[in-house]
Amino acid sequence: MNTPRRAFLITVAAAGATLGSGARAQAKLDEKDPQAVALGYVDDASRADTKKFPKYAAGQTCGNCMLYQGKAADAAGGCALFPGKQVAAKGWCSAWAKKA
């Protein structure tokens, strides 16, 4: 096998691996998911049920929670409580803990 052909095949294999990883993107957490309901998760923190969850305070969002695994600029990211799902950065749940 000559070098240009080998380089081409390696490039194609690498591109296929990169494209394949996109298929494993995390799904958005549904507010009706049983665990989400139990924790009072909402996509928009301003809709948090303050009567059921009096711990909620304005300014608390998934994006500034210790459990949030996304980057600061991300609209959504992973959460340690919801493996395989993405939560909205502007969301909230009763497990919110201040990021250190």
Side-chain angles (χ1 to χ4, degrees):
M1 188 186 275
N2 63 25
T3 305
R5 182 174 174 179
R6 180 175 292 159
F8 172 76
L9 292 175
I10 290 171
T11 303
V12 169
T18 302
L19 292 174
S21 66
R24 289 179 254 150
Q26 295 178 330
K28 181 182 170 195
L29 178 64
D30 185 345
E31 289 184 6
K32 295 176 184 168
D33 178 278
Q35 186 175 356
V37 170
L39 291 171
Y41 172 78
V42 288
D43 284 338
D44 181 355
S46 67
R47 295 188 297 111
D49 186 344
T50 56
K51 290 187 169 106
K52 189 173 181 182
F53 301 102
K55 175 184 158 187
Y56 171 76
Q60 294 178 348
T61 65
C62 293
N64 61 27
C65 176
M66 180 173 62
L67 302 170
Y68 184 69
Q69 298 167 341
K71 295 177 185 166
D74 293 346
C79 175
L81 296 177
F82 305 105
K85 305 282 182 168
Q86 286 203 336
V87 296
K90 294 180 180 181
W92 181 87
C93 85
S94 63
W96 183 89
K98 186 176 182 177
K99 197 177 270 191

